[in-house]
Amino acid sequence: MLINFTDPMFSNRVLGFETLVDRLERISNESQSGYPPYNIFKDGLKFKIEIALAGIEKKDVDIELCDGVLSIKHDGPKEDNSAEEALHKGIAKRAFKLKFTLAEDLEVLGAAIKNGLLTVNLERVVPDHKKPRVIEVK
C-alpha cells in the first residue's frame, strides 16, 4: 500500500506530526545503492553502525548529523598522478553518500576508523519524563 503524504485527507487528520511526515517523505524518495556495505548492531540502548571502507582514510570521510539524518559521505578518490598502471582494481574507493534517519532520542557518541571499518556509535537516551515510574496510590 502506497501512502500519499501530500493528500489533504491525510494531512488534515494528522496533527503535530509534521516532522515525522517530512522524514517519511524523505525516506520514500531516497534510493540507496549497496555500496559501501554496512552492518547495524543493537545492544540494549546502544547501537553501532559499521561501514566497510577499505583503503579510505579518515580525512576523506565526512560525517554530519542534521535534522535527525546521519549522513556519511566520501567524494571519491583524488586524482592519481603515479606512473603505476592498474592491472586489476577490485577495491572500490568510489564516491558514496549513506543516510540514516535517526529517532529523536538517539545520540551519536562518536566515530572511528580501524582496520578498514568505520564504526559510528549511537545511544538511545530516554528522558526522565519517559522512563517508567511507580505511581503511589493514596
Side-chain angles (χ1 to χ4, degrees), residues 3-137:
I3 298 174
N4 181 2
F5 295 109
T6 59
D7 180 7
M9 291 298 286
F10 180 79
S11 58
N12 288 338
R13 293 185 181 165
V14 180
L15 304 174
F17 292 96
E18 290 79 13
T19 57
L20 176 62
V21 172
D22 291 343
R23 283 185 181 184
L24 290 172
E25 281 183 25
R26 187 171 45 227
I27 289 169
S28 67
N29 292 333
E30 290 176 358
S31 63
Q32 293 203 10
S33 71
Y35 179 79
Y38 62 89
N39 299 322
I40 300 175
F41 299 99
K42 180 182 179 190
D43 181 15
L45 297 178
K46 296 187 183 282
F47 294 81
K48 179 171 63 172
I49 301 170
E50 286 182 341
I51 303 171
L53 298 181
I56 298 174
E57 297 181 41
K58 67 180 178 180
K59 67 180 175 65
D60 296 327
V61 177
D62 297 319
I63 302 174
E64 176 182 77
L65 178 63
C66 181
D67 197 25
V69 177
L70 178 68
S71 299
I72 302 169
K73 180 176 91 165
H74 171 60
D75 290 330
K78 308 295 183 247
E79 250 185 67
D80 187 11
N81 295 329
S82 71
E84 289 182 327
E85 177 186 353
L87 299 178
H88 174 75
K89 290 184 108 176
I91 299 173
K93 296 182 185 179
R94 65 183 182 260
F96 69 86
K97 186 169 188 176
L98 289 175
K99 292 184 178 184
F100 299 92
T101 302
L102 306 181
E104 291 180 10
D105 57 356
L106 277 181
E107 274 189 25
V108 178
L109 300 178
I113 290 183
K114 183 177 180 184
N115 297 331
L117 280 179
L118 171 67
T119 303
V120 180
N121 293 303
L122 307 117
E123 183 173 17
R124 182 176 305 275
V125 178
V126 181
D128 288 336
H129 71 276
K130 288 190 176 183
K131 290 182 182 175
R133 58 189 172 105
V134 176
I135 309 296
E136 181 182 334
V137 179

